[in-house]
Each structure stands twice: as C-alpha cells, then as structure tokens.
Amino acid sequence: MSKVRLIFLGTGGSIPSKKRALPAIAVKYLNTAILLDCGEGCQYRIFEAGLGLNKVKTILVTHMHGDHVLGLPGILQTYAFMGRSESLVIIGPRGLKDFVESVLSLVPCALKYKIDVIELDKKHYDVIYEDKTYKISAVEAEHTIKNYAYLITIKEYYRKIRDDVIAELGLKMSPELYRRIIRGEVGFIEACGKRVPMYQLLKIKSKFKIVYTGDTRPCRAIVELARGADILIHDATFSCELNEKARATGHSTAAEAALVAKEARVKELVLFHISARYSNASKLLVEASAIFPETILPNDMDEIERDV
Amino acid sequence: MSKVRLIFLGTGGSIPSKKRALPAIAVKYLNTAILLDCGEGCQYRIFEAGLGLNKVKTILVTHMHGDHVLGLPGILQTYAFMGRSESLVIIGPRGLKDFVESVLSLVPCALKYKIDVIELDKKHYDVIYEDKTYKISAVEAEHTIKNYAYLITIKEYYRKIRDDVIAELGLKMSPELYRRIIRGEVGFIEACGKRVPMYQLLKIKSKFKIVYTGDTRPCRAIVELARGADILIHDATFSCELNEKARATGHSTAAEAALVAKEARVKELVLFHISARYSNASKLLVEASAIFPETILPNDMDEIERDV
C-alpha cells in the first residue's frame, strides 16, 4: 500500500503573517507531486520540505487572486534556470494563460520546457486530466471571482485484469499481452476501433480522494464534489463571530467548513486559508471540531501522510 | 547623528537556495525605507525583520530579471489588502511599468494608493529623485539586459542657514522665515522667479552614499558612480575560478567586485548576489578581502548599521 503525503506549504490567506505564508499545498504520491495553489514564496517552501521542485508535474490554481497565484512566475523561472525539460501542466480559470504568457514575456527567461495551460470556464468538469495514477475533476465554487474547487482522485490497482474490458474490446489475451498489462505499461491499446489507455485494463484496488476548495462560501457544488472524500481541505478564513465578514468577502467560517464536511460525509476535514488576524487559531479548530470531530488545522510546513 | 540600517533580506541570485533567498535589501533611515530590488518573498522578510511594510516609500529595481522583480506584485497586493493610501514610487528600467500594470490587471485587487513608476532608459541620471533626505542617482551597468546601478545619497543638515542661497534668491530674512527653515519645513520658497525646496536653504552636515549595482560585470560607470561612497554593494555571484562564467552571464567574481571597490576608494564593500552553488561562501570573502580588506559578505537577514 502506498502513502500519499500532503505538505501544507502555506496555510494563510490574503496577506501573509509571521506564522502563515500564502496558500500552497503539495500532494506527493509515488514519485510525483501536484501543487494546489501557488502563493508567493512556495518555491522556497518546496526546497525547505526537501520535496524537489522537479517532482511537480501539475499545478492547480483555484482562482486569480494574487495570494493564490503570485508564486507561480517564480517557479516557472526557477525551472528555466534549472534547465527543466519536462513539460508542466497548469490548470486554472480563464485568465491564467494570459497571466503566465504576460509575465514570461515581460520578465524574460530562457524556457526549455513546455507549459500546457488548461483554462476552465464551465461549472463542472468530471475529468479535466487523467492518467494511470491521477484523475482531476473540478466544480465552480462561490467566491468574489471565479474559483474552482478541485477533486484529486488517486488510483491504486490490483495486479489483475479487467475481463469485462478485455471482452468488450474483443481482445485475445496472450501471455505477452498479459505481462504488458500487469506490469503497468504506459500507452494505449487499440481494438474494435477504440483506443484505450493500458491502465484501464487493470482492476482498481482503491481510490483516495482529496478535495481542495480554494476560496469559497459553503456551497452545494462542493458538498457534491466532496461526497465521501478522504480529505476535504476547506476555506476556513474566519471564526463564526465573523460570519458576516465571511459572507461579504466570499469566504467561510470554520463552522461552515465543518457543516460541509459533515454533510458530504468526508473522512477528514482540513481547515485552511486562515486569516492573519488569528495569531492563535485554536478557536477555529474548537469551533469546527464541535460539529465535525475529524478536523485538523495545520500550521505552515506541517505534513500528513495517509494510506491510499 | 542618525543611523542608517541596511537589512539584507535576500542575498542569493538567480535561483533560491536553502541559505539564500532572492535579492532584496532594505535601506532604513529615520522613519522611511527604500527597497533595493524585490526578489520573491521579500514581503515575508520585511515582516520578519519587523521593518513595517508601510515604511517603504520607494522601490528601486535594477533590472527585469525574475529573481529581482517577482516579489513586487505580492507587495503591491498586500498594500491593497492593508488599505495603504500613501503613494509609492517605483524606479526601474523600461518595461517595469508594463509589468506592474499587466500583473495588476490580470490578478485583480482594489488599489487605493497611487503607484508612480519612473522608467529609466538613459545611460546616466544625476538626479532621478530628490527630497530633503534622499537623492537617487543611477548609471547603466553591464549585464545581459539593461541593468541600472543606483546611488542613494542620504543627507543630514546643520541647523544653519545657507547665506549664499539666501543672497542668490534675494530673500529678506525674517525671524519667521528663519524658524521655518531651521525646523526643516517641507515645501518650497519662491523668489526671483525661482522655486526652491526649503531644505536647500539649510547647510548640509554630511552625506552618506550607498551604491547598489544589481547584476553587472565590473565596469567604469560603476567605478565613477561609487567614487568615495560609504558602502558599495556589488554583484559577486562567483569566485575567481569561474571568471569565464561570470563574463558569459554578465556577472562579477568576488575579486572583480573588490577591484572596483579599491579603484573607487569606497569605505566598505558588500558582496552580494551569491550563487546558490556556494553552500559556504567564505572563499568569496577571502578572495575579495585579499584585494580590498574592508569587505563583508552578509547572510540573509543580516543587518548593518552605520552613522550617517
């Protein structure tokens, strides 16, 4: 059984404080990492965590507010200096591509790798990206500007063949084909006019689901996205006394995050995007835990590791 | 006698290392600060130094490479969140204004303060900006793209009147006018069709000169700019074995920085923009000190304080 590791690089929001940097989370699984948002300075934190910047293959940006996206140009430039050659996928709302292209043209550097920006504008995406290990889905959340909440599904497989898919494709199983499938060969198989990724011929053993909301009010779309998830990382900018402020600024209180977690029946809730006003955020944890006991509130650079 | 305080927020270059963040220096004098370059994460360092982000009135950008400028958008956004109302002066090469405007339009925030971007394109500026306390000059240095080296002159005054200027302007000295000048009133005085800042009627007691080169080869323009300066902060990316690399990338070795310091007869040399390859940079200090003994090599967050 493999482990997924979540490193909370920055857990604050809007403005940094001495205790909390701007939002960024690394999701490390096997030999790759996905970065959730890119607050300023997250490249330093990735170095500090010993994660290896080049492990990052995909960056998910929830929305185009500076606290979530201004660490991105620095990472792209550092990749250029490091001579990265592997392509990078960046997913986010419309405006992201223009931002990346503008910064890279105004602040010149010699890029030797391909940046593939995928811009979202629909309300719901069942699959934005999928490979053998990851599937990425998204829904539009409720913030002051367009913000996407992401679901990352991590898949583990048995060393067993899916006979139903074999039959459907009319494939004749040979010892050679069997070996290719079982050893997890990358690539596609073509049959009956269909082109199917090899990993789809393997039986799925488990799925581990992580939802990250970015900045949002509690909302139906997130409850649906997070239903049964293993980990829900939810905006919890304020405590419940400031619920009017949360509403006015498009954020959630810790209690509201807990109610979403409860309704979606997730396994664990992570309170995130903590306002700089809380030099001690334990009241947010107490407030949420009263509603949803399986709640944690990480500090910067805290890590959690879970079985997939 | 007042003190000037230099805080080396980030002393590395190109890519950050665990020991050295990207370039940024705060020059604090009386109740204001000037920021020299704006490497990613410098707003965090300013908080950490207890400097007060709002103390920064002027930002000098040497050139438009990412390691020197990508901390700027985050500062501008944090000012917006903090409700800054005081205007901010940002000085740098052509392209800076476009960068600032593009980022602020692509990553929206509600700015309530004025940003005054001054773009440079000439080879030499005796005065880019001057007030009672500061005078800022610049020359074009020698890097792979246009890079300006800056001279900051900090002025202190006697409580004495400059009789020559009074005479030249044909001013009739009254006890009231005397008091206004002596107490250092801000503003202008008009006489003989001239409009003269009040501080120009006071006798200068001392000038403290700080030169910051940004990224550069050793060059004549910097020797002239730095002549007799109190502090020269010079590019010292490499040690002398890598002098070919320094030449090819538009940087200087520690020895080359020391030769500039010696020729310009500055009081102190600060080695800066240290390559991430030096986990221990003492060889750079040894190399420069052999040529110019009054050399220091600060680590991140080191401070020096000098009498003006």
Side-chain angles (χ1 to χ4, degrees), chain B residues 161-196:
Chain B
I161 303 269
R162 279 188 63 181
D163 296 327
D164 55 336
V165 181
I166 298 292
E168 194 188 325
L169 292 172
L171 281 171
K172 192 173 144 34
M173 185 58 67
S174 66
E176 166 61 13
L177 178 59
Y178 181 83
R179 273 194 300 275
R180 286 175 59 201
I181 299 169
I182 290 296
R183 75 172 173 235
E185 189 175 293
V186 176
F188 294 84
I189 194 153
E190 289 185 45
C192 287
K194 282 189 181 166
R195 193 161 175 269
V196 175

Side-chain angles (χ1 to χ4, degrees), chain B residues 10-238:
Chain B
T11 61
S14 307
I15 58 170
S17 68
K18 279 191 185 175
K19 292 189 77 172
R20 296 185 191 276
L22 297 173
I25 304 164
V27 177
K28 171 95 193 300
Y29 179 67
L30 302 177
N31 204 33
T32 63
I34 294 177
L35 197 56
L36 306 176
D37 276 333
C38 235
E40 182 181 349
C42 74
Q43 64 168 323
Y44 293 100
R45 304 291 180 108
I46 292 171
F47 281 123
E48 199 181 325
L51 189 68
L53 202 56
N54 260 323
K55 295 265 191 296
V56 177
K57 310 297 178 200
T58 311
I59 300 177
L60 307 182
V61 174
T62 57
H63 65 298
M64 293 303 293
H65 276 155
D67 53 331
H68 293 252
V69 78
L70 288 177
L72 184 57
I75 290 182
L76 302 182
Q77 299 246 346
T78 295
Y79 281 144
F81 271 111
M82 291 165 73
R84 178 179 178 129
S85 57
E86 198 188 356
S87 65
L88 178 73
V89 176
I90 313 175
I91 300 170
R94 195 178 282 180
L96 179 62
K97 197 178 171 102
D98 204 3
F99 171 69
V100 168
E101 287 175 355
S102 295
V103 172
L104 291 176
S105 77
L106 293 165
V107 181
C109 70
L111 244 58
K112 286 180 191 123
Y113 64 101
K114 190 170 161 278
I115 299 174
D116 186 11
V117 179
I118 300 174
E119 284 195 339
L120 312 179
D121 63 355
K122 289 194 300 178
K123 282 204 173 301
H124 177 269
Y125 292 83
D126 185 41
V127 186
I128 305 168
Y129 171 87
E130 184 161 20
D131 62 18
K132 188 182 172 193
T133 311
Y134 298 107
K135 179 180 146 185
I136 297 171
S137 317
V139 297
E140 196 183 325
E142 284 184 28
H143 190 43
T144 53
I145 61 171
K146 193 170 272 216
N147 176 98
Y148 282 96
Y150 292 98
L151 161 62
I152 302 169
T153 306
I154 298 173
K155 300 171 285 181
E156 285 220 338
Y157 299 84
Y158 289 109
R159 289 171 61 81
K160 286 181 189 166
I161 303 269
R162 279 188 63 181
D163 296 327
D164 55 336
V165 181
I166 298 292
E168 194 188 325
L169 292 172
L171 281 171
K172 192 173 144 34
M173 185 58 67
S174 66
E176 166 61 13
L177 178 59
Y178 181 83
R179 273 194 300 275
R180 286 175 59 201
I181 299 169
I182 290 296
R183 75 172 173 235
E185 189 175 293
V186 176
F188 294 84
I189 194 153
E190 289 185 45
C192 287
K194 282 189 181 166
R195 193 161 175 269
V196 175
M198 293 287 279
Y199 66 80
Q200 289 190 4
L201 304 179
L202 277 173
K203 275 193 185 159
I204 285 185
K205 186 162 115 192
S206 62
K207 289 182 177 177
F208 191 90
K209 294 186 175 189
I210 302 165
V211 170
Y212 170 55
T213 65
D215 291 2
T216 189
R217 295 286 305 141
C219 64
R220 178 62 28 206
I222 288 174
V223 171
E224 297 310 330
L225 186 74
R227 194 163 303 283
D230 295 274
I231 297 176
L232 168 63
I233 306 163
H234 199 290
D235 179 328
T237 308
F238 302 111

